[in-house]
Structures are given as C-alpha cells and as structure tokens.
C-alpha cells in the first residue's frame, strides 16, 4: 500500500478515536440542535395576544379586521374576568388587556404597549370615532368606509424580492461558520501533529523510511479527512434536522450548499493546512507553537469576520463580489455567495482557479519550509532561514 | 568490495562555518560489529544520519552494497536515532506494526514480527499500553524492537546502550552479536568503551569530524609498544627512546620507541633491584581513547 495512504490512515485512525474529536463533534451537534430548536421556537411563537374584557369585547370584529388588513398576526381573546385578565398580563400570557368602555378603553400592559398593537388599536378606535361622527353628520359610514378602504399606495418593485432570502442568509452564515471552525480546528491540528512528531523525535525514525513530502502529504490528507468526516456528520444532521423542523424549505439549495461547502473546505483546508504545517515545522516545542500559528489564526479570523460582516450588510455589494474571488477570502466567501445564489458560474470557476494557483504556490513554499525545519531542533527557526535553507542546526 | 558492505567514502558535511564531517572514509563489513567512538559533537550522529539519508552530505558518498543509499535501501536498514522517538500516545503493538509497514512489510508480516519481538524483548504484557506510559527501560526496548522487527540487513544504531539497565544491556549485546553472526553489518556508536571493547570487531575513533584511528580492537591496543615494569627499588628508567606513560608506586608504564630493545630495559631494571613484574602492557580502549584524543588535541 502507498506510504502516503499509510500515514494518512494512521492520522485518521488515531484522531477519529481521540476523545477530543468525539467531544468536539457532540458539542457542535448540540450547538446546531440548539440553533434549530431556537429558530423553530421563534418561528412558532405567534404574534401578540390581546384580551378583551367587559364592553371592550364588542371591538373584537373591528380589531380582527384591521389586523388582517395590515397583515399582522394578532390573536384576540375574550376575557370574562378583568381581574384574571390582569393576572394573565402580569404572567405574560396576554400582551395587553382592554378594559372599560368600547369607545374609550384602557389597555392594561405589563410594561409598555407593543407598537404593532398600539397601531391596530388606534386605527380601530379612530375608525369607530369617525363612524360615530359621520353618523351624527348624517352620512352613511359604510359608504365612506368602502371609499376609504380603496385608497392606498401601489407598489412598483424594481427587483422581485426572494421570499427565501432569509433562509438563504442563514444557510450562508452556517456554511461560513462551519468552514471557519473546521479550518481553525484542523489547521491547528496539522501544526500540532507536526510539532508532536518533532517533540517526540519520532520524525527522524519516520524520515529514515519516507520522504518529507510523503509524511507531510499523508498527515494533511489524514487530518483533512477527519475534518471532512466531521463536516459530513454535522452538515448531514443539520440538513435533516432543519428539514424535519420545517426550517428548510429549500432542500435543493441546502444540499447544493452542503456539497459546495465540502469542496471549498478541501480547497481551503489544503491551503491553510500547508501553512500550518510549515509554521509547526519551525518550532520544536509545544510552548513555541502558539507564537507561530497565531498569525495564521488571525488571518482566518479576519477573513471570517470581515467576510461575514460584509455579507450580512449587503450580499450583493461589489466589495463582497471582489473579495470572494481573492484567496484566502474566496474559501469562506464564495461558498456563502453560492448559498445565497448570487454567484455567477464564471465567478465560481474563476475563484476555484485562483485558489488552485494560490495552492500550488503555497504548497511549494510550505514544503520547502517543512523539509528544512522538520529536523531542526532547539530554538525556533526563523522563517527567513527556513526559506533560504540556512539551517544552523547545532546537533552534531 | 564485498556485497553488503557499508562504505563511507570521503563524506563531508558542513553546518555554516562548522566542519562537522571532514572527508570521513571507513567501511563496515557483513558480519562485523563496528564501534563508532568519539566525544560529543565529534560527528558520529551526523555520519549516521547521512548513512540513513536523513541528512545529505555536502561532498563524498555513503554506499551500501556498492550503491548510494536510496530511500528504498534505507527501508532495509534498522536505525536507532540518538534522539529516541516514538508516538507517546500510541499503543506499543499498534505503533510497531505501523513502523514495520512503513518499512514495507505487509499487514500480516508486520503483525507477526510485532508479536515475535515484543515477546522476545519481554514486552508481551505491554502490547496494548501507550508508549508514554511505559518505564524508560521498556520504552528503550520498544525502540530496539522498532529498529529490528523488519528484519534489517544493516544495523545503524546511535548510542543503543545509553539509558539501558544491565539486563537490557545484555539483551542488546546478545541481539547485536546474533545479527552480526547472521551476516548483518552492525554499526553502532557508544560512550561505553568497555562494551565497545568487548563487542566490536573493529573500532573507529572520530574527532572533530575526522577519523583518527580505525582498526581491530587488538590492533589498536597494540599500536604502541608499552611495558609494565615493577621494580622493588628506586629506579629511573632513563634510557634513550623510553618514555614514562604513568607511574603508580614502584610500577611504571613505559612507552618504547621502535628501535629500543626491551631487554635493555629489563637489564636496567634488574640492575636497580628485584623485578616483580615485566610484561607488555596493552591499554584498555578507554585509556587508548584518552591518549588518542589528547595527543591530537596537543598536536593542534
């Protein structure tokens, strides 16, 4: 069997069995589950509830009619006992309780009156007052009301709004977050693996049987596959869960996003993992590792935070479009734009092409640094020394 | 050159301004145990790393079976690096099987070899333990198993005896002798010169990257004409060409120039008083090493 695969399968075996993997996956599953449950709850929780007691009860048809015309989700209940109604307001079962006369009722609220409810009630009471005045003036209130009801602004939208834009944004955000977490976790994992082999000195034994690039490639492949396994578990559970919870009305978009996510993960992972491996090869102790990988983590964090912010502000903005073509922003922004359905095919192809070019350059440089650094012991090796190949190893 | 011989041929390695290996040439023949001796930093580890292809030489070559050591050839070598190294979190058997497979063994062969060597080195009970949880002595045994379980056709062992308890030293000596008897060339470095003297057929002494002596132990110990003379009376061996190496009470160790007749020395001693001891003196490897290294140091 090929040595690269032998090395990769060792990584895969030991890491899939590691407690950190199991715990990490369960933790992320719990987070996804919690997110789904929260959004399901938010979706199910209906609009405000208004209770009517006493003679205010006769306002019910008017309130329902106005709420309907404004397309507001408002529930109206008749409360027999005003005292019990107050109790329900205090408990939060009712958002407002109308008591007193139908023409001048009082709204009992816990702290303040919801703006939507206030608007609806005001409209109802104004209509009622207007009707009364019209009647007194001898006009036919119903005729006036019909005439008034036809008045309204006509909307001419230049772009048709995507009713599922919200859902797509959620998909994009989840995809970006998963990518970010996976790149950080498994990138750091690669650096740790390299340093582990250096501190335990096993690397010298390995290099007597395999070439440095085989060791590096096997390690990156193995750890990358571990990340892929985790993403498949998380994404699969997330998609199925979201569909079951009725959160996902776009299964095709979800699956498309998921597949694209896995592809972009692999591209991004190889890009960052080579950098992490080179960084790890510069140091010989875990204590020194943080200092060499923190610039990479910082870079990833900037890519993620800047990307997410720009995307949420306006996914169609030019800056998002441009950044999503430039590695390393590509690896996180392009899958998100794909999920939003705002990336033309040629841009995706261009982004993949540019990432592959970046990958070729980075892998070559990282390979050189890794090869020079991996047998270097003692103090931290400077990047410049590693690139120039002036290893000043002090071992005999 | 005999098939199976490991040859260092003009091997040179520099680290910046430091000349770590300077035109190093010697060979290790099949069935021979070759002891590699020198102070820390003399170049032993560098030479061994170059032999394995872990480091590359700046000039010269290391050949095995008449050809430069390729990666494929290196997989047939049993190597124990100076810096011991195993995955601390991997179980003994799993780790050994993995290393055996990196050496090109099939899964089944790797499993069999692991079972055999763990049994032989007294690690049978520890197969499922993590290496990091073992005692230092047992970790060394695992390291030895890692160097041996693929049935190497050449052994290159850097300080194989360091950190071993006396029982493990015996096991290790036994293994080296047995492998050599099977026709495997064995190259090992050590600071334990008594062990080197006992085990090795030939010894190479390296200093500052240069081989300063290389011969059989016997030949090395007989390079100089030395006499141990004990005269029970005040006696100064003031003869031309005779130098006192050391004096302990009335007993002198003398070094004779090539043209000095030892019978003249004996006559001079008898003239002084009763001679209790008069015999050729053969320094131990330790004493020899000390003089070889100091002499050259002075010569500089």
């Amino acid at each position: 069997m090929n040595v690269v695969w032998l090395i990769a399968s060792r990584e895969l075996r030991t890491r899939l069995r590691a407690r950190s993997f199991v715990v990490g996956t369960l933790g992320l599953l719990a987070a996804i589950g919690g997110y789904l449950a929260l959004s399901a709850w938010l979706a199910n929780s209906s609009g405000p509830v208004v209770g009517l007691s006493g003679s205010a009860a006769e306002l019910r048809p008017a309130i329902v009619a106005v709420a309907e015309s404004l397309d507001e989700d408002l529930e109206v209940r008749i409360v027999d006992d005003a005292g019990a109604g107050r109790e329900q307001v205090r408990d939060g079962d009712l958002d407002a309780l109308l008591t007193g006369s139908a023409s001048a009722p009082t709204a009992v609220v816990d702290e303040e009156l919801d703006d939507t409810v206030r608007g609806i009630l005001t409209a109802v009471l104004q209509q009622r007052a207007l009707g009364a005045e019209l009647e007194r003036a001898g006009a036919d209130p119903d005729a006036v009301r019909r005439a008034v009801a036809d008045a309204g602004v006509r909307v001419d939208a230049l772009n048709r709004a995507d009713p599922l834009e919200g859902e797509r944004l959620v998909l994009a955000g989840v995809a970006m977050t998963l990518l970010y977490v996976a790149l950080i976790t498994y990138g750091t994992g690669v650096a740790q693996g390299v340093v582990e082999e250096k501190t335990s000195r096993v690397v010298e034994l390995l290099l007597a049987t395999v070439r440095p690039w085989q060791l590096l490639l096997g390690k990156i492949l193995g750890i990358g596959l571990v990340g892929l396994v985790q993403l498949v578990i998380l994404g699969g559970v997330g998609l199925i869960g979201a569909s079951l919870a009725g959160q996902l009305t776009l299964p095709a978009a979800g699956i498309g996003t998921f597949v694209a996510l896995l592809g972009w993960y692999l591209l991004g992972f190889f890009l960052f993992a080579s950098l992490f491996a080179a960084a790890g090869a510069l140091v010989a102790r875990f204590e020194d590792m943080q200092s060499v990988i923190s610039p990479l983590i910082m870079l990833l964090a900037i890519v993620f935070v800047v990307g997410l912010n720009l995307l949420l502000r306006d996914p169609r903005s030019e800056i998002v479009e441009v950044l999503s073509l430039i590695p390393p922003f590509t690896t996180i922004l392009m899958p998100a734009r794909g999920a939003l359905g705002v990336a033309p095919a040629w841009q995706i192809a261009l982004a993949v092409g540019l990432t592959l070019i970046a990958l070729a350059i980075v892998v070559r440089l990282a390979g050189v640094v890794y090869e020079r650094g991996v047998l270097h012991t003692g103090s931290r090796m400077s990047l410049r020394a590693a690139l120039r190949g002036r290893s000043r190893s002090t071992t005999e | 050159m005999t098939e199976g011989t490991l040859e260092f041929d003009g091997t040179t390695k520099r680290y910046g301004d430091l000349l770590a290996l300077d035109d190093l040439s010697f060979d290790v023949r099949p069935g021979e145990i070759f002891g590699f001796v020198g102070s820390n930093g003399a170049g032993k580890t560098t030479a061994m790393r170059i032999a394995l292809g872990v480091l590359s030489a700046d000039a010269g070559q290391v050949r095995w079976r008449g050809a430069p050591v390729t990666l494929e050839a290196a997989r047939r070598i049993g190597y124990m690096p100076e810096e011991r190294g195993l995955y601390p979190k991997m179980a003994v058997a799993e780790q050994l099987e993995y290393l055996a497979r990196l050496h090109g063994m099939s899964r089944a062969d790797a499993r069999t070899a692991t079972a055999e060597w763990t049994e032989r080195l007294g690690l049978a009970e520890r197969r499922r333990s993590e290496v990091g949880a073992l005692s230092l002595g047992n970790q060394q045994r695992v390291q030895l198993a890692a160097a041996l379980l693929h049935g190497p056709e050449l052994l290159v062992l850097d300080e194989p005896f360091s950190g071993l308890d006396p029982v493990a030293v015996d096991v290790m000596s036994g293994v080296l002798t047995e492998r050599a008897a099977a026709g495997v060339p064995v190259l090992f470095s050590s600071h334990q010169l008594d062990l080197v003297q006992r085990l090795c057929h030939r010894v190479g002494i390296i200093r500052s990257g240069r081989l300063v002596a290389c011969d059989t132990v016997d030949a090395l110990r007989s390079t100089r004409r030395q006499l141990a003379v004990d005269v029970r009376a005040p006696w100064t061996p003031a003869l031309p060409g005779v130098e006192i190496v050391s004096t302990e009470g009335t007993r002198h160790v003398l070094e004779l120039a090539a043209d000095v007749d030892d019978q003249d020395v004996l006559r001079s001693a008898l003239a002084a008083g009763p001679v209790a001891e008069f015999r050729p003196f053969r320094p131990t490897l330790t004493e020899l090493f000390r003089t070889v290294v100091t002499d050259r140091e002075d010569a500089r």
Side-chain angles (χ1 to χ4, degrees):
Chain A
M1 193 173 19
N2 190 328
V3 274
V4 172
W5 176 243
L6 198 59
I7 293 163
S9 61
R10 190 200 81 90
E11 294 289 344
L12 200 59
R13 220 173 36 240
T14 46
R15 281 170 197 266
L16 286 181
R17 270 192 321 214
R19 193 186 317 164
S20 58
F21 176 80
V22 178
V23 171
T25 308
L26 289 179
L28 284 169
L29 274 181
I32 289 182
Y35 177 76
L36 284 176
L38 182 71
S39 50
W41 180 74
L42 285 177
N44 283 340
S45 63
S46 41
V49 183
V50 175
L52 308 176
S53 78
S55 55
E58 63 189 73
L59 289 172
R60 184 178 188 166
I63 293 176
V64 170
V66 169
E68 239 162 53
S69 74
L70 291 175
D71 202 19
E72 288 292 346
D73 187 13
L74 181 76
E75 190 186 334
V76 183
R77 283 186 209 155
I78 304 298
V79 179
D80 295 332
D81 176 23
R86 281 175 173 274
E87 228 18 73
Q88 288 179 28
V89 169
R90 197 165 287 133
D91 294 346
D93 292 340
L94 288 179
D95 291 280
L97 173 70
L98 286 194
T99 58
S101 71
S103 51
T106 307
V108 178
V109 295
D110 186 31
E111 278 176 350
E112 55 185 345
L113 187 58
D114 180 276
D115 281 342
T116 316
V117 178
R118 184 193 292 273
I120 292 170
L121 293 180
T122 308
V124 167
L125 293 173
Q126 283 176 350
Q127 262 182 27
R128 208 181 147 81
L130 191 62
E133 288 303 318
L134 286 172
E135 219 159 331
R136 196 183 304 166
D140 176 6
D142 287 335
V144 173
R145 211 168 286 144
R146 271 194 299 278
V148 169
D150 287 343
V153 69
R154 191 174 295 117
V155 177
D156 180 12
L158 296 177
N159 275 311
R160 199 147 49 87
D162 181 355
L164 297 169
E165 170 124 346
E167 191 170 302
R168 287 181 182 277
L169 259 180
V170 169
L171 263 180
V174 170
M176 282 177 86
T177 311
L178 276 180
L179 263 179
Y180 171 68
V181 170
L183 289 180
I184 290 259
T185 310
Y186 294 99
T188 311
V190 168
Q192 260 165 353
V194 170
V195 177
E196 184 202 10
E197 282 172 359
K198 286 189 75 177
T199 46
S200 68
R201 317 277 193 189
V202 74
V203 67
E204 190 170 343
L205 210 53
L206 301 177
L207 288 184
T209 58
V210 299
R211 294 181 207 289
W213 69 262
Q214 292 174 320
L215 183 57
L216 179 60
L217 183 60
K219 179 170 285 295
I220 289 182
L221 265 182
I223 297 178
L225 283 178
V226 177
L228 197 67
V229 168
Q230 190 172 46
L231 276 183
V232 167
I233 294 175
L234 294 178
V237 170
L239 279 181
I240 293 169
S243 307
L244 290 181
Q247 294 289 295
L248 192 66
T249 47
L250 280 171
I255 291 166
T257 304
F258 182 45
V259 171
L261 172 76
L262 298 184
W264 281 109
Y265 160 73
L266 286 180
L267 282 178
F269 177 77
F270 279 116
L271 192 66
F272 278 97
S274 338
L275 292 174
F276 273 103
L282 292 177
V283 299
R285 295 178 306 166
F286 281 113
E287 292 89 323
D288 298 334
M289 189 180 85
Q290 207 54 44
S291 67
V292 288
I293 66 167
S294 56
L296 292 172
I297 291 189
M298 198 87 88
L299 176 65
L300 263 172
I302 289 173
V303 167
F304 174 67
V305 171
V306 169
L308 191 64
N309 269 311
L310 289 173
L311 197 80
L312 289 182
R313 192 170 303 162
D314 181 4
R316 288 180 180 78
S317 71
E318 223 161 88
I319 183 158
V320 169
E321 203 166 317
V322 172
L323 276 185
S324 73
L325 293 175
I326 304 172
F329 284 94
T330 303
T331 52
I332 281 184
L333 266 182
M334 200 40 109
R337 287 187 67 210
L340 286 168
V342 296
W346 69 268
Q347 285 188 0
I348 296 177
L350 180 62
V352 171
L354 288 177
T355 308
L356 286 175
I357 292 172
L359 196 58
I361 298 169
V362 166
V363 162
R364 183 150 311 166
L365 288 180
V368 168
V369 171
Y370 177 80
E371 206 165 328
R372 301 227 170 103
V374 74
L375 278 179
H376 178 90
T377 49
S379 61
R380 175 182 163 180
M381 192 181 190
S382 83
L383 185 60
R384 195 173 300 163
L387 281 172
R388 283 188 185 163
R390 269 189 318 168
S391 163
R392 287 194 297 164
S393 170
T394 48
T395 39
E396 58 169 281
Chain B
M1 197 51 74
T2 332
E3 201 184 319
T5 303
L6 176 73
E7 303 161 78
F8 284 80
D9 182 7
T11 315
T12 301
K13 177 77 184 176
R14 263 172 205 290
Y15 292 120
D17 296 334
L18 177 79
L19 192 57
L21 286 187
D22 185 3
D23 196 22
L24 187 72
S25 298
F26 68 95
D27 56 13
V28 185
R29 297 156 199 164
E32 174 180 65
I33 303 183
F34 188 98
F36 207 16
V37 171
S39 324
N40 288 329
K44 304 185 296 287
T45 296
T46 302
M48 290 181 161
R49 283 179 162 181
I50 290 175
L52 263 293
V54 173
L55 274 182
S56 55
D58 294 333
Q61 254 190 345
V62 178
R63 285 186 300 269
W64 180 36
R65 297 170 163 166
V69 184
T70 60
L71 191 68
E72 285 65 37
R75 291 197 183 129
R76 309 296 319 133
I77 303 178
Y79 179 43
M80 195 189 256
E82 181 197 28
E83 309 272 17
R84 304 288 189 256
L86 294 165
Y87 290 104
K89 297 242 162 124
M90 238 175 137
V92 171
E94 192 188 359
Q95 176 140 232
L96 288 176
E97 276 169 34
Y98 174 62
L99 292 172
R101 298 202 63 201
L102 285 183
H103 280 282
M105 290 177 97
S106 73
R107 190 188 295 267
D109 289 352
R111 195 159 293 166
T112 318
T114 299
E116 270 173 29
W117 279 99
T118 44
E119 186 71 49
R120 175 154 183 205
L121 294 174
L123 293 165
E125 307 289 309
R126 296 303 202 150
R127 283 179 191 140
R128 290 168 150 273
S129 312
E130 283 185 3
V131 171
L134 298 182
S135 70
L136 222 56
N138 276 339
Q139 289 189 17
Q140 293 277 18
R141 287 167 194 233
V142 179
Q143 196 85 48
L144 178 63
L148 293 171
L149 87 172
H150 55 288
E153 290 149 31
L154 165 66
L155 284 178
V156 177
L157 311 172
D158 203 348
E159 304 277 353
F161 292 102
S162 80
L164 291 192
D165 59 66
V167 179
V169 166
D170 287 347
V171 173
M172 176 72 87
S173 313
V175 169
L176 296 192
T177 315
E178 178 210 284
R179 297 318 301 157
V184 170
V186 178
L187 168 65
F188 80 89
S189 69
S190 183
H191 289 303
Q192 280 142 292
L193 299 177
D194 49 329
L195 267 168
V196 174
Q197 182 173 335
R198 189 155 52 95
L199 286 173
C200 293
H201 304 107
R202 285 197 305 146
V203 175
I205 301 179
I206 186 173
R207 207 182 65 75
S208 303
R210 298 190 70 96
L211 202 64
V212 291
C214 178
D215 214 327
T216 60
V217 177
D218 277 345
L220 280 178
R221 292 177 65 195
S222 321
T223 359
R224 295 163 183 225
R225 287 182 71 206
Q226 293 190 338
L227 287 174
V229 186
D230 192 353
V231 186
R232 297 286 156 84
W235 172 60
T236 317
L239 293 164
V242 175
E243 243 179 273
I244 303 176
V245 176
S246 63
T247 303
E248 207 175 302
T250 54
R251 185 173 184 268
H252 306 279
V253 174
L254 307 177
E255 182 158 338
L256 277 58
D259 56 346
V260 177
D261 185 351
D262 52 3
Q263 297 308 308
D264 289 341
V265 180
L266 179 58
R267 273 188 283 278
S268 155
L270 283 168
V275 175
E277 183 186 359
F278 183 86
R279 60 177 181 83
F281 178 78
R282 301 213 311 161
T284 64
L285 197 56
T286 313
E287 289 161 324
L288 194 74
F289 176 71
R290 210 171 282 138
T291 38
V292 167
V293 170
T294 347
D295 275 7
R296 307 286 166 133
E297 213 90 54
D298 295 343
R300 281 229 287 202

